[in-house]
Amino acid sequence: MIAAHLPVLQVVLPLMAAPACVLLRRPRLAWGFATLVSWACFGIAALLLGQVLENGDISYALGGWAAPWGIEYRVDTVNAFVLLIVSAISSVVLPGARASIEREVEGDRVDLLYTCWLLCLAGLLGIAITGDAFNVFVFLEISSISSYALIALSGERRALVASFRYLVMGTIGATFIVIAIGLIYMVTGTLNMADMGARLPAVWESRTVAAAFAFLTVGVGLKMALFPLHLWLPSAYASAPSPVTAFLAGTSTKVSVYLLLRFVFTIFGAGYAFGIQALEYVLMPLALLGILSASVVAIFQLDVKRLLAWSSIAQIGYMVLGISLASLTSLTASILHLFNHALIKTGLFMAMACVFYRIGSTRLEDMEGLGHRMPWTMAAFVAGGLSLIGVPSSVGFVSKWYLVLAVLERGWWPLAVFILFTSLLAVVYVWRVVEAAYLRPAPAGTGRSEAPLSILLPTWSLIIANFYFGLDTSLTVGVASRAAASLLGAGP
Amino acid sequence: MEALGLYNYWLVIALMMTGFYIVITSPNLVKKIIGLNIFQASVFVLYITMGKIIGGSAPILSDQVSVYSNPLPHVLILTAIVVGVATTAVGLSLVVRIYAAYGTMEEDEIVAAEREDP
Amino acid sequence: MNAATAMLVALAIPAATAVLISLTGRWPNVREAVTLTGAALLFLCVATLTPGVLAGERPEQLLVELFPGLELSFLLEPLGMIFALVASFLWIINSIYSIGYMRGNQEQKQTRFYICFAIALASTMGIAFAGNMLTLFLFYEALTLSTYPLVVHKGNEDAKAGGRTYLGILLTTSIAFLLLAVLWTWWAAGTLDFRAGGILAGAVHGPMVGVLLALYMFGIGKAALLPFHRWLPAAMVAPTPVSALLHAVAVVKAGVFSVVKVVVYIFGIDFMKAEPSTDWLLYVAGASILIASMVALRQDNLKRRLAYSTVSQLSYVTMAAAILAPLSVVGAALHIAAHAFGKITLFFAAGSIYTASHKTKVSELNGIGWRMPWTMGAFAIGSLSMIGVPPTVGFVSKWYMLQGAFSTGQMFAVAVIFASTLLNAAYFLPVVYAAFFRKPGASEDNPGHGEAPWPVVLALTLTAAGTIVLFFLPALPLGLAKGLVGV
């Protein structure tokens, strides 16, 4: 009975839990409640993925209204995987968030932070699961507005400005998306994604569709921080409370990438996006420029959280590069990297949460000698950094392997060389941190003081996952290649 | 003169660009929010106008009427308006906090203050 | 315990040793006992595998399927056997030496040193047993990363700069070239297995073969083919046991080992012979030998001189493989072992001099031979092996290389070997001569130092003896090397 209603529970559970969380008032209670709900969501997502892998796509008619008229929740391999990523990241980060949030957020706002967290989680899960285009916009705004609040809850005053900038950019992005949806509705008369996909080929020549496509690309580009629409991201990530950064870095841009996949392949169709609109000529240069420029900028950052944020922009570039190649292998690479990068970045930002907890800063100059003061934390950072670089046996290597293979399939040698060379830039910025932490003396009078186990454990479980999924790729590669096949099969 | 006949869409575009221009150029954070509101309002108009058919009636089933306006976009935009209000509320409360923290809501002054922060 | 599991055990022993060292770090004596026990166990474990391989067995062990159709796997073949034997044997001696050296010089962070050392050995075993190119690449990178903390051990600005060069060159070459080559091979041939006769024949054609070979040869930065050799002299900032690890036990050996593996099992000797676009390798390797030797001539710092000597000796192996005659490949395999014993002796001696007298320059060594007879005696033997004079093992490997070169009429290679032998003599013999036959200069104050601590002397005596023993009893490495090419 319940099994049939899992798709709606996936969203309704955190959505309903959010107001309940406000009523709890007490910070620890709110935290425990949020953690519990998040884990429940993770359980649901895992069950859904299992169902999809076994029985194929799930269609759930909300309120019993049949698909083209009512809102449909549609779960296929692609979004089941995204649901799993989002809920898993939230569930791993939350247990570690308590200690760190208590340090970084004023006491009377802590319970509100968990409320916003649950709302944001509901929004992100909603974007992923819904099969209705306008519903996407609603969930997008739920997640965005709550993440503005999450970022602003940090004690630093620059977080307010960062949040405001994110709000302006995010609202413009979301509005562009809603314009695009409106324009598609004008020509197809439907809001159901599958229905849109079926009706659009008849009106491919229409200028309205072209306008919708343009608005959509820019809107989603803004939300996922595609170069050159990325300027909101570094300061937002750098100034948010550390666990919030870890959560958002692993989920929010990933869901936006999913949105691009969904719109391009399911709604417009690969034939339209690449055949008629030549999307690859837009996406690929932007992806390449983004990878290169963001990696170079990352090298010169003085704050490690900001450094990692810039690196995220570069990594988004790799995912977009995979999308722009639009082949089975390249989409597999993109979807794989969605998962893998979530693991890498969340792990690294959690390590930064440990650092911030102890020394109240993540600036390079304050992290000198930290390798000896916080050996476990910094070991986690190094391991995560290696995964970011793409050392074999880590998840970063798996993504890189597929992406380069996809490029080789096309016979684009210079691009393969480019990908490998830019991954060396990651070595440079990771090693700046390593040198500061290990090869500079700690300030006098500082002893060994490791972060509390409650933050360290989630950090390390993410790092271990980095290497587990780097060696046992049967789940991730299996799901990603099935998802890629379903995306390509869905297009005409 | 088909292009002029679609004057409602021209209005949408004019509103949209006005809002967008304000968001981008105004250094005042409150004015940015106002610009954002105008920008969103243009989209509301877009949705409302696309559902309306000239001579169309309200969608209540009746024997005398054969042309109906589409109510769905109008309903959708109710949601969008709510979202817009929420965004404005969050934006304005952020401005309040920024004013408290920086003593100004002019962007260039905030940027200057940010530079001085470590 | 069958051979397949023994390979896993061989990997697990140094890994477990690393864990145990970290647990016993508080008690130096226990820690050192753990290191030595681990090293001895590893050698025993590797030794048990040898008879089977000599008899023609090729045990296989699947680890995990990384990508569909592509596994991480182990496959033991003669070349890997030689490498594993050399590395595991020299780990024992190097550990003895390290104990003396690290304590004698009161180095910091000794526990970290021994941990990284053990991890490096685990990676080395992985390289030696790798069953395909992907597995080899994985452990190759692991070796780079695990030796980085050793290179920057001293933690000062010099060490940091050296570490940057070390990591920079090794990672750049391996990620930008080697990984691309591996991916290319996988994409073109559909397999990465090491197979007798190679896997590329028919999959890659014409000039592209030469390009792919270049990606492999320059990608394997650990083989220090010019111009990617700078990391070796840069890494000289590390303590001497680390230099020994880099130059003799593991790192550069992993490089030339990979080179031979790629030539023999990925390209295949016959395929390379048939493709004229691969001829350049012989000349680049030959040029590397000569240029590096000439640079070595000009170095006054003893360890730097040894480092450039290594660059030149490594290219011997590469060139021998590039001659593409079965006998020269035998020479290449032998030279991996020969150079390991010779060079480790030389480095041990250099470290011994530093420990006893804190001298690092060749020009300061006048007359030191009488105060440190064991050290300088061993140095002399090591030098002879580098030059290739009997009765040292260096002669045997050079002999096979020359035979191979003659058999295919590669007069260029013959000329290079003769010229470099002269050069080797020119930069090693003066050191020996000065140590024994020059009077210490008047300007030098003569602190009354004698020999280095006994573990140091013991270690270098053992390796010097090894170079001679291997000359008289080359049956084991020779048997394995011949198994490699099936002569």
Side-chain angles (χ1 to χ4, degrees):
Chain A
M1 176 58 207
I2 285 190
H5 291 290
L6 284 179
V8 71
L9 282 175
Q10 178 82 86
V11 182
V12 166
L13 187 69
L15 198 63
M16 291 290 116
C21 196
V22 185
L23 299 176
L24 290 174
R25 307 294 303 168
R26 302 245 305 279
R28 296 230 166 161
L29 218 54
W31 165 75
F33 182 65
T35 311
L36 214 63
V37 170
S38 174
W39 276 98
C41 286
F42 175 61
I44 295 174
L47 287 175
L48 278 175
L49 182 64
Q51 282 184 9
V52 168
L53 288 180
E54 202 166 314
N55 307 327
D57 299 0
I58 303 168
S59 172
Y60 181 89
L62 213 63
W65 298 91
W69 297 281
I71 291 172
E72 181 195 20
Y73 280 6
R74 195 176 180 82
V75 192
D76 60 8
T77 328
V78 192
N79 56 7
F81 196 44
V82 175
L83 292 173
L84 190 79
I85 297 173
V86 171
S87 55
I89 293 293
S90 166
S91 305
V92 179
V93 173
L94 266 177
R98 184 184 57 80
S100 156
I101 291 290
E102 278 172 9
R103 269 254 160 144
E104 293 184 39
V105 178
E106 283 172 44
D108 57 336
R109 305 211 181 104
V110 171
D111 55 326
L112 297 177
L113 184 134
Y114 294 115
T115 309
C116 290
W117 189 300
L118 285 175
L119 274 177
C120 189
L121 179 64
L124 293 169
L125 293 172
I127 300 172
I129 204 170
T130 186
D132 182 281
F134 198 81
N135 223 225
V136 166
F137 165 70
V138 176
F139 281 122
L140 190 66
E141 284 297 33
I142 291 179
S143 71
S144 301
I145 294 176
S146 47
S147 56
Y148 308 144
L150 281 173
I151 292 167
L153 277 168
S154 154
E156 291 179 59
R157 67 173 184 171
R158 63 174 59 210
L160 299 168
V161 184
S163 170
F164 186 84
R165 289 198 184 120
Y166 183 20
L167 179 135
V168 171
M169 301 285 259
T171 307
I172 292 174
T175 312
F176 271 32
I177 293 173
V178 86
I179 293 171
I181 294 168
L183 293 175
I184 304 174
Y185 181 73
M186 279 171 82
V187 289
T188 60
T190 178
L191 287 172
N192 183 285
M193 288 180 176
D195 217 21
M196 280 180 169
R199 292 182 191 208
L200 267 174
V203 286
W204 270 3
E205 303 303 320
S206 153
R207 232 188 301 170
T208 314
V209 179
F213 191 69
F215 272 115
L216 184 100
T217 314
V218 178
V220 178
L222 262 169
K223 294 304 283 188
M224 70 182 186
L226 173 65
F227 179 89
L229 305 170
H230 61 277
L231 287 170
W232 57 270
L233 188 141
S235 51
Y237 278 17
S239 54
S242 306
V244 171
T245 311
F247 172 53
L248 291 181
T251 55
S252 139
T253 46
K254 309 293 170 295
V255 169
S256 308
V257 172
Y258 159 76
L259 209 52
L260 184 68
L261 283 170
R262 183 57 87 202
F263 270 94
V264 165
F265 289 96
T266 308
I267 296 185
F268 287 100
Y272 181 77
F274 297 98
I276 296 178
Q277 292 296 343
L279 184 64
E280 66 269 35
Y281 290 109
V282 180
L283 286 189
M284 193 178 294
L286 292 183
L288 297 183
L289 276 172
I291 293 170
L292 191 64
S293 63
S295 301
V296 171
V297 173
I299 291 173
F300 295 99
Q301 295 306 310
L302 299 173
D303 184 296
V304 180
K305 265 165 93 175
R306 199 171 278 269
L307 179 155
L308 292 175
W310 278 103
S311 141
S312 278
I313 297 167
Q315 300 293 323
I316 294 282
Y318 288 112
M319 292 175 219
V320 174
L321 183 63
I323 296 175
S324 72
L325 288 167
S327 71
L328 188 63
T329 321
S330 79
L331 283 184
T332 308
S334 281
I335 296 167
L336 264 178
H337 202 45
L338 217 71
F339 177 84
N340 292 344
H341 182 247
L343 284 184
I344 300 171
K345 266 300 149 52
T346 313
L348 286 172
F349 274 120
M350 281 305 279
M352 283 304 112
C354 294
V355 170
F356 200 92
Y357 182 87
R358 268 295 168 235
I359 65 174
S361 157
T362 52
R363 293 176 66 78
L364 266 180
E365 60 199 34
D366 299 326
M367 286 175 63
E368 286 179 3
L370 210 59
H372 313 299
R373 293 168 64 195
M374 306 179 70
W376 285 99
T377 304
M378 288 319 291
F381 183 88
V382 172
L386 291 178
S387 187
L388 184 64
I389 294 166
V391 169
S393 82
S394 69
V395 288
F397 179 73
V398 179
S399 314
K400 199 159 62 179
W401 179 271
Y402 274 90
L403 191 58
V404 175
L405 218 53
V407 172
L408 288 185
E409 275 177 4
R410 285 284 183 99
W412 290 351
W413 293 99
L415 201 54
V417 176
F418 174 88
I419 293 170
L420 294 173
F421 261 107
T422 47
S423 72
L424 287 169
L425 293 174
V427 179
V428 180
Y429 55 72
V430 169
W431 235 258
R432 286 193 64 213
V433 184
V434 171
E435 282 192 354
Y438 286 96
L439 295 180
R440 285 178 200 275
T446 50
R448 193 174 156 148
S449 61
E450 194 45 87
L453 215 56
S454 67
I455 320 181
L456 213 50
L457 271 181
T459 310
W460 268 100
S461 39
L462 282 162
I463 297 300
I464 289 167
N466 262 300
F467 287 88
Y468 176 78
F469 287 109
L471 286 173
D472 180 9
T473 57
S474 52
L475 173 76
T476 49
V477 171
V479 173
S481 57
R482 270 186 67 166
S486 92
L487 279 176
L488 285 174
Chain B
M1 296 304 280
E2 196 198 4
L4 276 183
L6 299 169
Y7 64 90
N8 44 347
Y9 293 108
W10 287 110
L11 184 72
V12 168
I13 293 170
L15 265 182
M16 192 182 285
M17 289 306 125
T18 313
F20 208 32
Y21 181 79
I22 297 173
V23 174
I24 292 171
T25 56
S26 173
N28 185 302
L29 299 188
V30 174
K31 287 186 184 164
K32 268 186 197 294
I33 299 273
I34 294 171
L36 212 54
N37 267 305
I38 297 174
F39 180 62
Q40 286 181 311
S42 76
V43 182
F44 304 161
V45 177
L46 173 75
Y47 266 73
I48 293 165
T49 194
M50 79 164 88
K52 173 69 183 165
I53 295 175
I54 294 170
S57 158
I60 301 164
L61 212 56
S62 152
D63 291 338
Q64 286 103 42
V65 187
S66 58
V67 183
Y68 297 102
S69 284
N70 186 349
L72 186 68
H74 301 170
V75 179
L76 291 180
I77 225 57
L78 276 179
T79 318
I81 289 170
V82 173
V83 168
V85 170
T87 314
T88 310
V90 174
L92 287 176
S93 53
L94 279 174
V95 176
V96 171
R97 291 279 313 277
I98 289 173
Y99 189 75
Y102 287 86
T104 174
M105 46 187 186
E106 299 294 319
E107 197 172 26
D108 40 355
E109 291 170 25
I110 294 171
V111 170
E114 265 190 331
R115 288 239 171 82
E116 284 161 26
D117 282 358
Chain C
M1 185 167 72
N2 66 11
T5 25
M7 285 195 285
L8 288 185
V9 174
L11 199 69
I13 289 173
T17 309
V19 175
L20 281 176
I21 293 171
S22 69
L23 294 178
T24 54
R26 232 170 292 164
W27 309 283
N29 287 333
V30 183
R31 180 186 68 198
E32 260 77 300
V34 168
T35 304
L36 285 174
T37 319
L41 279 176
L42 177 64
F43 179 66
L44 273 180
C45 178
V46 173
T48 56
L49 286 165
T50 317
V53 175
L54 273 175
E57 282 175 28
R58 301 288 180 266
E60 266 188 276
Q61 175 73 46
L62 189 111
L63 296 175
V64 57
E65 186 174 42
L66 196 56
F67 303 119
L70 186 54
E71 301 94 8
L72 293 183
S73 66
F74 284 160
L75 170 69
L76 187 56
E77 44 73 57
L79 186 64
M81 196 68 244
I82 296 181
F83 184 33
L85 276 173
V86 170
S88 59
F89 179 69
L90 291 182
W91 188 28
I92 305 178
I93 300 181
N94 203 348
S95 301
I96 300 174
Y97 182 85
S98 301
I99 296 165
Y101 183 92
M102 299 303 276
R103 293 188 176 187
N105 288 304
Q106 284 150 10
E107 294 275 353
Q108 300 292 308
K109 303 201 178 68
Q110 295 195 16
T111 305
R112 187 178 78 182
F113 172 87
Y114 288 110
I115 293 174
C116 291
F117 219 107
I119 298 174
L121 252 293
S123 317
T124 310
M125 290 301 125
I127 295 174
F129 298 151
N132 59 31
M133 204 54 217
L134 184 69
T135 317
L136 192 141
F137 181 71
L138 191 157
F139 287 106
Y140 181 95
E141 295 292 54
L143 183 60
T144 308
L145 294 167
S146 60
T147 45
Y148 171 79
L150 295 171
V151 172
V152 296
H153 185 85
K154 292 205 167 124
N156 53 19
E157 285 301 317
D158 277 355
K160 211 186 308 175
R164 274 185 196 161
T165 315
Y166 180 77
L167 201 68
I169 292 183
L170 287 186
L171 278 185
T172 307
T173 51
S174 67
I175 291 180
F177 304 143
L178 183 56
L179 181 56
L180 187 61
V182 172
L183 275 155
W184 185 352
T185 309
W186 168 247
W187 175 66
T191 175
L192 288 174
D193 290 348
F194 291 128
R195 272 189 217 145
I199 54 174
L200 280 172
V204 184
H205 307 280
M208 294 319 265
V209 183
V211 177
L212 182 55
L213 184 70
L215 284 178
Y216 269 116
M217 291 304 132
F218 293 114
I220 302 171
K222 290 196 174 98
L225 205 57
L226 253 56
F228 295 107
H229 65 285
R230 291 283 307 278
W231 61 273
L232 251 182
M236 282 300 104
V237 292
T240 306
V242 176
S243 305
L245 173 79
L246 296 179
H247 288 261
V249 182
V251 178
V252 297
K253 291 298 166 306
V256 287
F257 169 78
S258 310
V259 165
V260 178
K261 277 274 218 191
V262 167
V263 169
V264 175
Y265 292 118
I266 296 286
F267 283 84
I269 291 178
D270 294 332
F271 178 56
M272 272 182 68
K273 253 188 212 156
E275 284 293 341
S277 61
T278 59
D279 291 350
W280 61 269
L281 181 60
L282 184 73
Y283 301 102
V284 171
S288 273
I289 295 175
L290 296 179
I291 295 170
S293 298
M294 282 186 255
V295 177
L297 265 178
R298 300 161 50 89
Q299 304 295 323
D300 189 34
N301 182 308
L302 182 58
K303 276 172 79 178
R304 283 184 75 86
R305 185 176 286 198
L306 293 179
Y308 277 101
S309 151
T310 303
V311 176
S312 130
Q313 295 282 332
L314 292 175
S315 291
Y316 269 119
V317 180
T318 309
M319 189 178 77
I323 291 171
L324 299 175
L327 282 177
S328 68
V329 175
V330 171
L334 276 181
H335 201 62
I336 291 179
H339 177 248
F341 276 89
K343 196 44 76 56
I344 202 170
T345 310
L346 293 172
F347 268 106
F348 280 175
S352 168
I353 296 168
Y354 176 74
T355 312
S357 68
H358 287 274
K359 283 174 182 158
T360 54
K361 296 213 169 101
V362 175
S363 53
E364 298 169 341
L365 296 182
N366 291 350
I368 202 166
W370 300 114
R371 247 173 287 131
M372 307 181 68
W374 287 96
T375 300
M376 292 319 291
F379 190 94
I381 293 171
S383 304
L384 291 181
S385 183
M386 286 296 120
I387 302 164
V389 183
T392 56
V393 65
F395 171 76
V396 184
S397 54
K398 263 190 190 169
W399 178 255
Y400 275 96
M401 284 182 212
L402 275 174
Q403 268 193 308
F406 276 119
S407 75
T408 52
Q410 285 289 2
M411 284 310 138
F412 172 78
V414 175
V416 167
I417 293 176
F418 277 116
S420 77
T421 303
L422 290 177
L423 284 166
N424 287 344
Y427 60 79
F428 276 125
L429 290 184
V431 182
V432 179
Y433 176 81
F436 285 104
F437 301 113
R438 283 241 178 95
K439 293 254 155 47
S443 63
E444 274 182 74
D445 52 332
N446 261 322
H449 69 81
E451 275 289 4
W454 69 264
V456 172
V457 177
L458 173 68
L460 61 88
T461 315
L462 281 175
T463 54
T467 56
I468 295 175
V469 169
L470 279 177
F471 173 78
F472 289 108
L473 304 165
L476 175 63
L478 206 56
L480 287 168
K482 285 184 171 165
L484 168 66
V485 284
V487 198

